[in-house]
Each structure stands twice: as structure tokens, then as C-alpha cells.
Amino acid sequence: MRQASLTDVAELAGVSHMTVSRVINGTGPVRPETRARVQAAIQELDYRPNSAARTLATGKSETLGVVALDSTLYGPASMLYGIEHAAREAGYAITISSVSRPQRQSISDAVEVLRRQAVEGILVIAPHVAAGRALEFTPRDVPLVAVGAAESAPVPVVTVDQHDGARRATEHLLALGHRTVWHIAGPEDWLEARAREQSWRETLEAHGIEAPTVLRGDWSPRSGYEAGRALIAGGDVTAVFVANDQMALGMLRAFTEAGVTVPHDVHVVGFDDVPEAAYFSPPLTTVRQDFIEVGRQAFELLLLRLRDEAEGVRRLITPELVVRESTGPR
Amino acid sequence: MRQASLTDVAELAGVSHMTVSRVINGTGPVRPETRARVQAAIQELDYRPNSAARTLATGKSETLGVVALDSTLYGPASMLYGIEHAAREAGYAITISSVSRPQRQSISDAVEVLRRQAVEGILVIAPHVAAGRALEFTPRDVPLVAVGAAESAPVPVVTVDQHDGARRATEHLLALGHRTVWHIAGPEDWLEARAREQSWRETLEAHGIEAPTVLRGDWSPRSGYEAGRALIAGGDVTAVFVANDQMALGMLRAFTEAGVTVPHDVHVVGFDDVPEAAYFSPPLTTVRQDFIEVGRQAFELLLLRLRDEAEGVRRLITPELVVRESTGPR
DNA sequence: GTGCACAGTGTTAGCGATAACAACGACTCG
DNA sequence: CGAGTCGTTGTTATCGCTAACACTGTGCAC
């Protein structure tokens, strides 16, 4: 048998369908005994409101869309969960549409897919250059909030303060007495990677130090490993700021294999503070980003945006330097 | 101005709304020049079909629900992406409802939330004992597929063969000449943890070895670290099979701190093959689970289930032992 | 030339809910 | 005691779409 509808319930309870609707939504007055009869009928028929019909009638879907990254990178995945959690608590459903590769077109497509789903607003987790560009071309009539680092985007945005984090990491190393600090950057098309690199460079320059050549990885441990080998080959490295923890792990591995000891020979700082970082060999000094909080605030900001109160808002979340043995005493 | 509707498009193109519907869905014949006029009108009005209305009219939502775990554990997160990817390719949208703690009630609630969203089918990623129980009480009229390890559930299920994986891990260690193999298990309420533990025990018994006392963690590196310290305190340990890679990392750390060398003093095997595992110190021998494939097959299975062709189906995916230095020559 | 198939299009009736207003009785108030 | 108020319920229209069927006209077979 098919799903029961409002009318079925109304018939069984001997009332009009509107009365049932009132009972369900708590709108308008209903006599207690009528309410009881209706509720009994609902129980008996295992009635469940049809959200498509409700959406059609009200124009509200109580659903938000999230454009996520098709990856299991710790950051993006955590932000997704932060968003989902906050949204669910507020009674919103979440529809996701992920993109495999962060290209302008794919992000626009994902947004388009979500718009057809009649979502009320969209959160874009896409800390790429391409994402920023895609957002520029997004119609202004969709309530949209960027999560991550799309700084230049013409939409409200929530992001961790990458500059601050990278500055702290670099200054921490400088304070330990190093003459310079090397940097392993993330992929060039990630805004976060760019921001960290830029801030690292500026911090060095502020101390009158010329930044050494940047090595670039792709966030993966493997690329960190390779960068580590390259550094060893170059010689004369005593301090490295790596753009994420995974690459830092790869680098630690490369150092270990080559007999370079951390923290004795080299100091290393990562970025993210993944749950594993405290158990690397040695435990990694890193910059903690509270992704869950980012997700939560992004959701909040989207709610504001839905009420048109988020014009030009940009929320910065301050990261935190967590000092561990990888920059410990030698 | 509000979103354009079929009728608006029809008016602009000078046809009936049905003709527009036919153009959009490719149903029924339409003269090429009419089609062109309609398409022009669609373009001009930036028309976008209203999915709520379509769902209401057809009874099909082209949407699937996923009950996910509110965690960034590598496995569950990867499976989610596998599912999402497969579904999107097939034109299905995905609505997620995550549960923070895997209790029977919360899982039932999540399923209920999704049912109201008019999803056509539901995938439950919830490899817990509680999930299995929750699924028993789920009405049989919702097409539902379990992803993970809910073996006893009365629904079709896709899972990695945990028994096989744990057996391979244990036998690998035994083949290296160890007299026995210790085990750090996962949380007792996870079916996967149970399966790995049970299979480890059976494998030892099959070799006439009595299983040593099990230590139990919570999947976190910290718990692995503590288990490692406990093992060291107990002494006389030469081979450990750890139920996941994160705990194995913690254990490696505990060993390093205590001056116990892997692989020289102790051999360690993990489970999962997270991207980092190859860069642990030492690189970790582990059992690789292809989570993306699990997600893909789960989606496929749900499609079968939607056509009532999945009765009692259970798909097992065989994991693979990846040998690295943590069980290398001493 | 009559009939029939079929391409092409329109008309009408839902899908299951909410919105807006109407209807009715009981009660209060002046 | 008539009018207005309010609590309670019902009626009707509507959201945007598709399903089902009705209606044209054309081309072809016989």
C-alpha cells in the first residue's frame, strides 16, 4: 500500500485535511480531543508528511546544499561534518554535491545541481583559486557562503586565518634561533597554500631574511617525502615549515631514512593538527585549525545571509600553534 | 523576480506548458523549430525545473539518503565519498544525515529523517552493533542497504571481508616465526572490531596457539599509544596485530619512546592502509580496504534493491595485505 | 477517396501539502 | 438582546510539474 496522505488521515479521523495539517504543524487552534483523534489516526496509518508537497506549497525546502571536495583530506572532510552537524541541529537537511577536481566549471556545475534541488542556500567548501573564480560568476540571487579561503570571492566567507597561522609557525622557528626557514608549500591552485607561502615569505622579510627557494608538494605524504629528500640533497637546512601535516609526515620519514634527526638536526612545523600529529616520530609542532568551528560558523553565516544580513561579512578564525617535540630542545 | 516556471516559459515561447515539459524531458515528439523556440525561452528566463514539483508529480525524487558517521575516521569518510561519487554519476542526489553516536535510537532517527525527505532509498554506513540492531527494527518497505559490517542485518549489505583481512595479518606474522601474536582491538561495539578480533583468535587457535589477552582501544592514536605502553610493561611481546592504522601509529610512538625498535624487536601490522601508513616510522605493514569500491558497490546494490533484485544479497570485498618495513627483516 | 497511423500539440486532472478566507457556534459586552 | 470576538473547523485555490487522453493535420495504403 502506498504512503498515507493528509487526506487519508483526515478521513480516518473524521475531520478535514486542514485540521490534520494544523495538528502537524501546530498552526491554529485545535480542540484537544480532536487533536487526539488526529494523532491516533497518524499513528495508525504511520503517516509521514511529504516534504516535496510541503516544499511546493510553501516555497521552503529546509534544505541546504554543500559543495564539497571529493577527497578524504582531513580539513575538507572535517568542515563538512561541522556544517552537517550544525545544520541538523537547526532542522535543516543537507544535500551534498562533490567535485572531484576543483575547476571553475565543475564548481559551477555543482552549484547548479544544488539549485535544482531547491536548496535554500549553498555552502561551498572549495579553498581553491578556481573556486574563487567560479564564485564570481555565480548568480547573486542564490544565498551562498564560501567556506575555506576564497578571500576574493564576492560572497560572505568563513575561513581560518592562514596568514596568522603561517606567521606564527615561521616566527616560532625564527625564535628558536634559525638563520632562515625553508618552506614546503601546497598546490599552487589552493588559496590556503598560497596564503601560507606568502605569509611565510613576508615574515622572513620582516626579519630581514631573504626567503629560500620554495619546494612544492600536493598535500600528500609522498610529496612531502620527496621534498624532504630534495632538502637533504641541498644540505644546510635547519628549519622547515611544511604546509600541512601529511607532507610533514612524509618529510619526517625522508629525514629518518637519511639519518637526519628531528629535532636534533632540523626543526619541523606542520599545519592542521590532524589527530595523528601528536604521535608522529617525533610528535609534530603544528598549527591547529578548528575545522568543526569553521563549519559551524559557516552555517550560521548562511542563516544570516538568508535574512540578507551578511553583506560583505568575512569571519576569520584564529588558529593556534601547538608546540611539540619536532621543534623541541636538541 | 521569482523563479520562472514552466508556464512562464510556455507563454514566452507561445506553446503550451506540456510542450515545454516534453522538450525538457525528451518525452514525446516535438518539431525541431518548436524545440528551438522553447529552448530559447528557457535560456532567456534562466528557467530551472522545480524538483519538488517534479517529485510530487512523479513520485520519484532521484535522491538517495546516506546515514553517515559524524566522524572523520578515514574509513567512514571514504565510503561516503565513494557513494556520493557513484550516485552523482548516475544522476542521483545525496542527502546525508549523520549520527554522532552510534546508538540504536539515533540511527533509527536518522533513517526517519531521511524518509521524510522522500528519498528513494537509504544507505547506512554504520558498522556498529547498534546499527545492526537498529536495522532490524527498520520497516521493510524502505529500500535500504547497509555499508560496513552489519552482517546480521536483515538487509542487503556490502562489506570488506574483515575475517579474511585479520586472518592474513595474523598469518603473516606467524609466518615470520613468532610464537604468538598480540592484538589491539577496536571498540567492542564496532562489528569490524569484533570481526577482526574473532578472526585473529581463530587463526591463532588454528595454529594451536592460545590467544593472549586482548587490549582494547577506541581507534584513536592515543589509545594505541596507551596500549603500546601496556604491552611494553608486560614484556615479552614480539608481534602485534593492531585493529587500525591510527592506533598502530600510537603504538609505534610508544615503542619508540621506550626504546623498543620496530621491526627489530617487535613486528607490527595495522589495518586500513590510510594514505599516511607508508610514511610511518617505520612504514606500516597493513591490510588495505578499498573503501571507495565499497561505496560504489553499495550504491549499485541499492539500485538493485530498488528493483527488488537484492533479496539477501551480501557482497564481500576482499582486502589486501600490504607488506612494509614494520614486519621487515630485523 | 476513405480510413488509419502517427507526428505534433493542447487540455484537464491530479500529486500532497499550505494559504486564505469563510462559516458556525458560544461567549462576552454594552 | 443584538453585535462583535474568538475558538474551531471546513472550503477552495494554488504551488509547478507530469500523466493521460483528446485533438488536429498529414501521408500512405487500399
Side-chain angles (χ1 to χ4, degrees), chain A residues 5-6 17-18 21 25 47 50:
Chain A
S5 76
L6 260 197
H17 71 275
M18 267 319 291
S21 172
N25 299 303
Y47 169 74
N50 178 319

Side-chain angles (χ1 to χ4, degrees), chain A residues 48 84 88 91-93, chain B residues 65-68 95-119 122-124 126 130-131 133-139 142 144:
Chain A
R48 221 178 307 277
E84 204 277 340
R88 187 156 28 91
Y92 279 88
Chain B
V66 178
V67 176
T95 290
I96 67 177
S97 178
S98 69
V99 296
S100 306
R101 277 185 300 177
Q103 284 152 1
R104 206 182 96 193
Q105 191 56 49
S106 59
I107 291 168
S108 299
D109 288 351
V111 169
E112 186 59 26
V113 165
L114 290 175
R115 291 190 69 182
R116 289 182 197 224
Q117 297 290 317
V119 298
I122 297 179
L123 291 147
V124 181
R133 280 206 303 272
L135 295 181
E136 281 173 33
F137 291 90
T138 301
V142 215
L144 198 147

Side-chain angles (χ1 to χ4, degrees), chain A residues 14-42:
Chain A
V15 297
S16 81
H17 71 275
M18 267 319 291
T19 301
V20 180
S21 172
R22 289 187 184 106
V23 169
I24 291 167
N25 299 303
T27 57
V30 177
R31 206 143 29 111
E33 68 190 65
T34 314
R35 179 189 310 279
R37 265 215 324 285
V38 169
Q39 258 150 0
I42 289 177

Side-chain angles (χ1 to χ4, degrees), chain B residues 204-228:
Chain B
L204 287 185
E205 282 166 5
H207 285 258
I209 301 168
E210 196 187 345
T213 313
V214 159
L215 297 184
R216 196 171 298 283
D218 63 4
W219 296 138
S220 75
R222 155 164 291 277
S223 67
Y225 176 81
E226 280 158 11

Side-chain angles (χ1 to χ4, degrees), chain A residues 81-324:
Chain A
Y81 280 109
I83 292 169
E84 204 277 340
H85 195 78
R88 187 156 28 91
E89 293 219 321
Y92 279 88
I94 289 289
T95 290
I96 68 178
S97 177
S98 69
V99 296
S100 308
R101 277 186 299 177
Q103 284 152 1
R104 208 181 94 194
Q105 191 55 49
S106 59
I107 291 168
S108 300
D109 288 350
V111 168
E112 186 58 26
V113 165
L114 291 174
R115 291 189 71 182
R116 288 181 198 227
Q117 297 290 316
V119 298
E120 290 183 26
I122 297 178
L123 291 146
V124 180
I125 303 177
H128 306 89
V129 178
R133 281 207 303 273
L135 295 180
E136 280 173 36
F137 291 90
T138 302
R140 302 305 313 276
D141 57 338
V142 216
L144 197 147
V145 166
V147 192
E151 336 206 339
S152 64
V155 298
V157 56
V158 178
T159 178
V160 170
D161 190 340
Q162 305 294 335
H163 282 92
D164 186 62
R167 189 180 45 71
R168 289 184 196 212
T170 310
E171 290 197 326
H172 172 62
L173 287 168
L174 290 176
L176 292 172
H178 296 282
R179 276 186 313 192
T180 191
V181 174
W182 290 70
H183 181 52
I184 314 301
E188 207 162 5
D189 59 339
W190 282 63
L191 291 164
E192 307 185 337
R194 286 191 182 183
R196 289 172 202 166
E197 178 184 342
Q198 188 194 343
S199 177
W200 157 78
R201 190 182 306 278
E202 286 170 4
T203 305
L204 287 185
E205 282 165 6
H207 286 259
I209 301 168
E210 195 187 345
T213 314
V214 159
L215 298 183
R216 195 172 298 283
D218 61 5
W219 298 136
S220 74
R222 156 164 290 278
S223 67
Y225 176 82
E226 280 158 10
R229 292 180 60 104
L231 281 187
I232 294 163
D236 199 29
V237 172
T238 64
V240 189
F241 166 42
V242 188
N244 80 337
D245 290 351
Q246 286 205 332
M247 291 196 296
L249 174 67
M251 169 164 295
L252 291 179
R253 179 67 203 150
F255 285 171
T256 302
E257 281 183 7
V260 174
T261 315
V262 179
H264 186 270
D265 302 327
V266 182
H267 277 161
V268 176
V269 176
F271 212 106
D272 279 353
D273 196 26
V274 299
E276 291 89 348
Y279 297 90
F280 287 178
S281 289
L284 186 69
T285 293
T286 186
V287 179
R288 173 180 296 158
Q289 307 196 71
D290 189 344
F291 292 113
I292 299 294
E293 178 65 14
V294 171
R296 207 181 57 67
Q297 293 214 21
F299 170 73
E300 263 180 25
L301 195 50
L302 184 54
L303 287 190
L304 282 184
R305 173 67 182 79
L306 288 176
R307 298 199 299 266
D308 264 324
E309 294 169 12
E311 200 58 46
V313 173
R314 173 139 180 258
R315 290 211 185 154
L316 269 189
I317 291 170
T318 306
E320 182 192 347
L321 182 73
V322 181
V323 178
R324 301 204 181 94

